[in-house]
Amino acid sequence: MAGGGDAGGDTGRQAPAPESTPPVFLVDAIPPGDHAVLDGEEARHAVTVRRTRAGERLTLSDGAGGLADCVVDTVTPGRHPSLEVTVHGRREDPPPRLRVTVVQALAKGDRGELAVELATEAGADAVLPWRAARSVARWDDGPRGAKALARWRTAARSAAKQARRGRVPDVPDPVDTAGLAARVADAEGAYLLEATAEAGLKDLPLPEHGELYLIVGPEGGVTGEELAALTAAGAVGVRLGPTVLRTSTAGAVALGTLGALTARW
């Protein structure tokens, strides 16, 4: 905006900071028309948490790469809040040529959800839960396991919105070591993060396209049997620097390394 200033030159004021990236809200489908209504839980978050006002910008995302840039027209608070928006443009977040799946061993407490959050923020395309032999956490096939999986999926959705991502990472059903080995055998590459490995990611040839697995073991480490099975399937052991990282942070650190070493960033 222009305004009256002191005649004669520099006022000593700093230039205004650029407008921040608008928040992202998830919808089932990108609206086809020029106007749309955001309601439900996403609208509740927009109204009660973010205090969204008319005139502000926001982005609608279908979580699969579709994005719509919008401006808020009206905000309706109350028990069933909603926002009416005008769509000013649509765009597509293309899938990466190199799709990276973080295989995350089940972790105790909230460390598993933290791992999902950090991996999502760092750019993982999927987070695959792994029932490793030494995982302290155990996901049953019944309601408890379903609830734990739902928490991981919620963590991925929330982190994708926070990171302004156009794609929410997939969080498939958990696999055991045999199921993981079968996936590794069909992948373009697979790296098992292992503190005793001699090579680092920068020392290995990295694929430019296809499916790549980053395998993160549990707090107690990978067993000899698991190491043998995954290596036989084609996984390569790598280490991340001279220190030992927690299972909740290792995947995000590895993704950052991949981002710098490949065209993902």
Side-chain angles (χ1 to χ4, degrees):
M1 294 185 297
D6 294 337
D10 186 9
T11 63
R13 297 193 186 101
Q14 293 182 343
E19 191 172 359
S20 61
T21 304
V24 171
F25 297 93
L26 291 171
V27 293
D28 293 335
I30 297 300
D34 294 336
H35 299 278
V37 175
L38 180 66
D39 53 16
E41 192 58 36
E42 293 292 88
R44 188 177 306 281
H45 180 77
V47 174
T48 63
V49 178
R50 296 197 60 91
R51 306 289 185 184
T52 303
R53 297 290 182 263
E56 294 184 5
R57 297 187 302 143
L58 59 80
T59 299
L60 301 180
S61 168
D62 62 6
L67 299 163
D69 298 315
C70 306
V71 172
V72 178
D73 296 323
T74 60
V75 176
T76 303
R79 293 184 59 187
H80 303 287
S82 64
L83 289 82
E84 295 184 13
V85 303
T86 296
V87 179
H88 286 265
R90 296 175 184 81
R91 50 197 169 91
E92 182 75 18
D93 182 15
R97 294 184 60 199
L98 178 63
R99 176 181 165 86
V100 179
T101 293
V102 172
V103 179
Q104 179 63 53
L106 304 185
K108 63 181 180 181
D110 60 357
R111 290 185 181 177
E113 292 164 57
L114 175 60
V116 174
E117 291 175 2
L118 295 177
T120 300
E121 292 173 5
D125 299 298
V127 180
L128 176 63
W130 174 29
R131 287 175 168 141
R134 291 176 177 165
S135 288
V136 175
R138 295 293 174 185
W139 288 10
D140 300 327
D141 289 331
R144 291 184 61 185
K147 183 180 292 186
L149 180 60
R151 287 198 298 266
W152 279 36
R153 288 172 173 167
T154 298
R157 285 173 59 89
S158 298
K161 290 164 55 178
Q162 180 68 29
R164 311 296 199 263
R165 289 188 54 171
R167 294 180 178 272
V168 176
D170 298 326
V171 183
D173 292 338
V175 295
D176 57 15
T177 300
L180 175 57
R183 289 174 178 251
V184 166
D186 292 333
E188 192 72 24
Y191 298 111
L192 173 62
L193 306 185
E194 176 59 47
T196 61
E198 297 183 0
L201 280 176
K202 65 180 179 60
D203 303 318
L204 299 173
L206 298 173
E208 297 182 358
H209 55 80
E211 184 88 16
L212 177 66
Y213 285 88
L214 289 175
I215 306 171
V216 182
E219 294 95 333
V222 178
T223 66
E225 291 80 4
E226 289 170 333
L227 180 60
L230 295 175
T231 301
V236 177
V238 297
R239 65 178 300 155
L240 296 174
T243 59
V244 177
L245 299 174
R246 285 190 171 187
T247 187
S248 55
T249 57
V253 173
L255 284 164
T257 303
L258 279 178
L261 294 176
T262 67
R264 285 174 59 86
W265 284 3

